Amino acid sequence: MNKPTFQSDFQTPKVTTGPLPSSRKVYVESEAHPGVAAPVRYIDLHPTSGEPPLPVYDPSGPYTEEGFVPDVEAGLSRERQAWVRERGNVEAYEGREVKPEDNGNAAGKYLAREFPVRNAPLRATGKGPITQLEYARAGIVTKEMAYVAIRENLGRQEALKSAQATLKDGQSFGAELPEYVTPEFVRDEVAKGRAVIPMNINHPEAEPMIIGRNFLVKINANIGNSAVASSVEEEVDKMVWATRWGADTVMDLSTGRNIHNTREWIIRNSPVPIGTVPIYQALEKVGGVAEDLTFDIFIDTLIEQAEQGVDYFTIHAGVRLPYIHLTADRVTGIVSRGGSIMAKWCLAHHKESFLYTRFEEICEVMRAYDVTFSLGDGLRPGSTADANDRAQFAELETLGELTQIAWKHGCQVMIEGPGHVAMHKIKANMEKQLEVCGEAPFYTLGPLTTDIAPGYDHITSGIGAAMIGWFGTAMLCYVTPKEHLGLPDRDDVKVGVVTYKLAAHAADLAKGHPAARLRDDALSRARFEFRWEDQFNLALDPETARDFHDQTLPKEAHKTAHFCSMCGPKFCSMKITQDVRDYAGKLGDNEKRALEAMSEEERRRGMQTMSAKYAEVGGRLYVEEEVAEDECVTAGDVATN
Amino acid sequence: MNKPTFQSDFQTPKVTTGPLPSSRKVYVESEAHPGVAAPVRYIDLHPTSGEPPLPVYDPSGPYTEEGFVPDVEAGLSRERQAWVRERGNVEAYEGREVKPEDNGNAAGKYLAREFPVRNAPLRATGKGPITQLEYARAGIVTKEMAYVAIRENLGRQEALKSAQATLKDGQSFGAELPEYVTPEFVRDEVAKGRAVIPMNINHPEAEPMIIGRNFLVKINANIGNSAVASSVEEEVDKMVWATRWGADTVMDLSTGRNIHNTREWIIRNSPVPIGTVPIYQALEKVGGVAEDLTFDIFIDTLIEQAEQGVDYFTIHAGVRLPYIHLTADRVTGIVSRGGSIMAKWCLAHHKESFLYTRFEEICEVMRAYDVTFSLGDGLRPGSTADANDRAQFAELETLGELTQIAWKHGCQVMIEGPGHVAMHKIKANMEKQLEVCGEAPFYTLGPLTTDIAPGYDHITSGIGAAMIGWFGTAMLCYVTPKEHLGLPDRDDVKVGVVTYKLAAHAADLAKGHPAARLRDDALSRARFEFRWEDQFNLALDPETARDFHDQTLPKEAHKTAHFCSMCGPKFCSMKITQDVRDYAGKLGDNEKRALEAMSEEERRRGMQTMSAKYAEVGGRLYVEEEVAEDECVTAGDVATN
């Protein structure tokens, strides 16, 4: 919180609650793992549709339950802690003291209020598996794995039962989307390092989710206060708001003062995994002077955040001294904050980055809490001009090397990707990542496909995000309309999330996710049948859809009208189509064959006539005057009609 | 105009004028064709940039000239009429009387005011070439061709002169973008039918432009009143507004009453080509009853509109009787208005469509005014479920057949495409179109890559538009946020246009347009150097970019601040990068080589260590307890630090 407020003035963050329109949250129990139940949002359709409710993935946590009253001062319930404890291999301990520098030495009216409840953190005892990766390798299906299997399966069972034998219709570029996701499939993907379940043992409020190429494409929303704006209250509200619209994870990118306290409020109330970039806070602890950073300060920050429950850390360990000069001729140099901090450190000391040289020590901390690595792309391009250059790919190769080391330590890993990349260079990013990073999940920011549309970078990047998601990226980090210009407010967060949800969904469709089409088809049927309410309710953003309809046709009766504002009541293509359908339905097979023959014959005749004419004029491309004149008679006649 | 207003209450449409920020309109004269001068918008950059003004394509007409005062009651100046007349082969004539049914028999307060000026229309005499295609085939470079060559060349000369020997970096999928566009290149592309210059001889107010795969990707904006909303004033304003933000052509899709009068106001004031779907008006003339349509009514409507100056007509001549039943099993049947009208007619009469059977007569009218065909895709998919089906492709094949016939008659042709298509099915559309339509320019609506985001369909379709533009589509028809929900207002038109401009530009970049990168790079440099004003001014939408910046950092001083709101003044990656660059600039070659060697050696060592460890634990994937314990010592130590 960088806005000054006395602790006594601190308001309990207000968050948005209640179900989305026509939606019910249902907890579906695992058949194989009784007691494990994952949320599914069912969208109820109008009785006239004759269609069952449509299940959709729901990352919004209890906030969207009917009647749920959040206690933001206490945080969400910590149900998953029992799962962690019953597996053993963890111990509760006192935990690190919160130090004044954790909040940037903020005091008085500049210090944000502490979260009221303090929980003793857990950590690995050192005995037996602790991370989801280790359990997976040991052949153990954790409850988290069973949980994500339920979530990922939305509608597949129904789809498989239906007459439409397979909905699978896509180009997967090597992804292997199963017909049905079993807990064992989840375990196997995690064991191979192809998917991560980013669940810090100290974030038991979060609902397990999975990030991997063979699962639904996920999206991340960035929030966080900055040195110049926003408050704890706003950031907690944005976090809940982002998940309401579909954010699968949230990154808290706060800078300035009060990073620690802000983060605690966010984590305790978050139903989704929280990611951070710990070097931001480490830099605050050394007064913003990159060259004063030390490994000790960094690792202490990791522990601080791991104890709080951060689920994944962006660590820019691939920004190596030998790569830094490769960025010198770039149009936009190094644009990653973490990357530029480490670059500055390396140059100031003329030493290899401590994140790289002491990476194994970092792994041990990550493992002790099951914090997932998000290996940061500190040398990502900040403009399309710099895309796919040597600096970027040298770093990616190093991330691949570090992936192997992290895996050796039992840590879960994903890899961050660009950035700004014109369309023709996107696929190479995915291919290179798959090649050098052992199929660890790719997690990209956009990419933006052009630099010329500030104010619309959710769109320039939504294009790139949909494409790279199709090619195999497992999670897409959103970009809001404010990118490059300002801090996103609530509306920007919503627009960013919905844009990325649609991009992720477009990717799922194109990859051939077996159940992705169910929602498109349900909405298309609603549209075709003028079930306006169903069309709104099935939309990613029912409020905006309804509001736009109201702007042209505000009356309630128009919601049941069998026409739309484009064509009006008398003249409607969808209505005419229904007539066509009724008619065509009566056609017998013989008649259809006759039509086909007619089609062929006329086309042949048409083409013959044309060839004859063409031959007649000697195959010349330009038709000479006498021919042109002859052909114009008709036009003349008609013109004087 | 379907809102009742007495003629005396009619307000002269108010349109937006004046240059965009920091922009000047310059008319660049053709070297080869003195007297022919085409507009270029120059964006002036801040003196500290040391950079020349950036030229950008400018379809906005005189409205964005400094000090231009439009006389909307008189229309724009009709300069191009001299070009048409001096070529000969045309005659002025009385023209068709406006009939009451042309305005839907509107009377009294329901009749929109007539445009005050009436010009005698021109038509072909029947002697010699008349269309741009015929001139091109005859080896004649028209002034229109010289004009578009200037426009298309933006910045290429400068780019070619610069140190950066070639900016060409893309994947063109067979497009042949020249290093430099000459009038002769334009002529050749038009002669081959690969590009069209949609310029009705009766629309001399419009500035020539070209649509083809080897030119800049263009965008179209749809406007038009409907039976339930809007007025002449609003539509004229929207037309000018759309071109201000970059619309290359505008389609007037008005329905209901007053179609004729609305169109006249639009055309007379339009600097860009205007397209229509004549069957809409024809249907109004028969009281909205599709089966009452006749060829005579249709052709009379074509002449009516051709005399007014419509530059291209969407004609759904590919909706043939034998194809209609192919749509019966679709999720969304026939969603094209024109397509469904013709389908209904065919079924009602059980006859082949008169648009198909009498296509050559239509060609003669088109030729007489040089109206370009936009062969409509009446069977395009209305949902991703229906994409690329037999109905769609059967029609496309017929459009290819009709293209040959139209070309034979000397008519210019483009082909309309879908619609709703998931990403993995987009490329097939382009390939099929190229294959069956003889490389006539493709003109697509989106396509929308998912159906689940009403309210965001400018984005679902912007994704598809960028992709299909990259693959070779010559013009992208915009989709606004109101698509499927309501009629676009002014704000929606702007958002739609800017979204499609960025999609078209992303396509140009990916295709490897030799000059496309200039704007991205200029903006990226401005961003890197914290030239905020330049960043706004170079943006597609400078107003929104500035507004978003103001929301977080409203003070004027912040516009020259060397930081952004994301990171604040102390902590800025771009600032750090500058330090890195200064430092790296001092590195000698030997030092660089040493760094490279260091990089390699360490990586090798790292990989060896890893392999050794892996071998040590017997290549097992799961590291057993004793190993895990040993590795955890560090974590434990650190945790208690």
Side-chain angles (χ1 to χ4, degrees), chain A residues 461-473:
Chain A
S461 69
I463 294 167
M467 290 174 71
I468 205 161
W470 174 25
F471 300 150
T473 290

Side-chain angles (χ1 to χ4, degrees), chain A residues 524-544:
Chain A
S524 296
R525 285 190 297 269
R527 185 172 278 159
F528 185 68
E529 293 165 13
F530 295 102
R531 285 183 274 117
W532 287 102
E533 297 286 344
D534 286 351
Q535 194 180 151
F536 305 149
N537 296 337
L538 287 164
L540 284 179
D541 179 357
E543 291 172 3
T544 298

Side-chain angles (χ1 to χ4, degrees), chain A residues 334 367 541 577 603 632, chain B residues 323 334 367 456 577 603 632:
Chain A
I334 301 176
R367 177 182 174 277
D541 179 357
T577 300
R603 178 176 304 137
C632 265
Chain B
Y323 303 155
I334 301 176
R367 178 183 174 277
Y456 298 78
T577 299
R603 179 178 302 137
C632 264

Side-chain angles (χ1 to χ4, degrees), chain B residues 281-596:
Chain B
Q281 189 181 11
L283 185 73
E284 298 290 340
K285 291 180 182 176
V286 294
V289 182
E291 47 272 46
D292 289 353
L293 282 167
T294 65
F295 180 75
D296 287 346
I297 290 169
F298 182 76
I299 208 91
D300 183 51
T301 305
L302 290 193
I303 292 161
E304 172 193 347
Q305 299 198 13
E307 289 181 352
Q308 286 185 292
V310 174
D311 300 286
Y312 61 91
F313 287 153
T314 294
I315 297 185
H316 299 95
V319 179
R320 295 191 51 200
L321 179 63
Y323 303 155
I324 292 167
H325 72 282
L326 299 175
T327 66
D329 293 333
R330 282 179 159 188
V331 170
T332 48
I334 301 176
V335 295
S336 146
R337 284 191 277 177
S340 57
I341 294 164
M342 290 316 300
K344 182 143 190 181
W345 188 93
C346 290
L347 289 187
H349 298 277
H350 204 75
K351 262 192 184 168
E352 185 58 275
S353 156
F354 56 78
L355 299 178
Y356 181 78
T357 56
R358 302 184 71 175
F359 188 71
E360 303 211 55
E361 291 166 72
I362 295 168
C363 290
E364 292 310 328
V365 175
M366 303 292 277
R367 178 183 174 277
Y369 305 90
D370 198 5
V371 180
T372 297
F373 273 106
S374 187
L375 291 172
D377 54 338
L379 303 183
R380 68 169 175 269
S383 54
T384 52
D386 296 339
N388 296 18
D389 69 356
R390 184 60 206 141
Q392 185 196 329
F393 283 156
E395 181 189 34
L396 185 57
E397 289 159 16
T398 296
L399 299 186
E401 175 196 335
L402 296 173
T403 298
Q404 299 293 335
I405 295 169
W407 280 348
K408 186 183 53 132
H409 286 268
C411 297
Q412 303 190 86
V413 182
M414 52 187 176
I415 308 290
E416 294 185 11
H420 293 238
V421 186
M423 285 190 286
H424 64 297
K425 292 186 173 176
I426 291 177
K427 198 151 186 289
N429 277 276
M430 190 69 231
E431 286 167 351
K432 176 96 183 169
Q433 192 272 346
L434 285 171
E435 177 201 327
V436 302
C437 296
E439 295 191 77
F442 204 24
Y443 168 28
T444 63
L445 177 73
L448 285 75
T449 53
T450 165
D451 306 308
I452 69 168
Y456 298 78
D457 280 334
H458 59 307
I459 307 180
T460 65
S461 69
I463 294 167
M467 290 175 69
I468 206 161
W470 174 25
F471 301 148
T473 289
M475 186 156 75
L476 307 170
C477 180
Y478 88 169
V479 169
T480 77
K482 289 276 171 62
E483 183 77 12
H484 299 116
L485 298 168
L487 283 181
D489 62 20
R490 219 167 176 272
D491 291 342
D492 297 318
V493 166
K494 181 177 173 184
V495 170
V497 168
V498 175
T499 300
Y500 271 66
K501 282 303 275 188
L502 74 85
H505 185 78
D508 287 333
L509 275 183
K511 281 170 81 176
H513 184 284
R517 262 189 60 179
L518 297 174
R519 189 169 185 177
D520 294 81
D521 292 357
L523 196 145
S524 295
R525 286 189 298 268
R527 185 172 278 160
F528 185 67
E529 295 166 11
F530 295 103
R531 287 184 273 114
W532 288 102
E533 296 286 345
D534 286 351
Q535 195 180 148
F536 304 149
N537 295 337
L538 287 163
L540 283 178
D541 179 358
E543 291 173 4
T544 298
R546 175 181 297 271
D547 177 50
F548 282 2
H549 187 262
D550 282 352
Q551 284 176 30
T552 310
L553 296 173
K555 293 184 195 141
E556 203 46 45
H558 287 141
K559 300 287 180 296
T560 53
H562 277 208
F563 61 88
C564 68
S565 57
M566 281 297 282
C567 308
K570 195 173 60 177
F571 174 62
C572 178
S573 59
M574 290 210 181
K575 191 162 179 298
I576 292 175
T577 299
Q578 191 52 52
D579 301 343
V580 169
R581 185 178 285 188
D582 296 344
Y583 186 98
K586 294 174 200 148
L587 276 185
D589 280 349
N590 284 343
E591 285 159 295
K592 284 183 190 169
R593 269 193 296 274
L595 286 171
E596 185 65 27

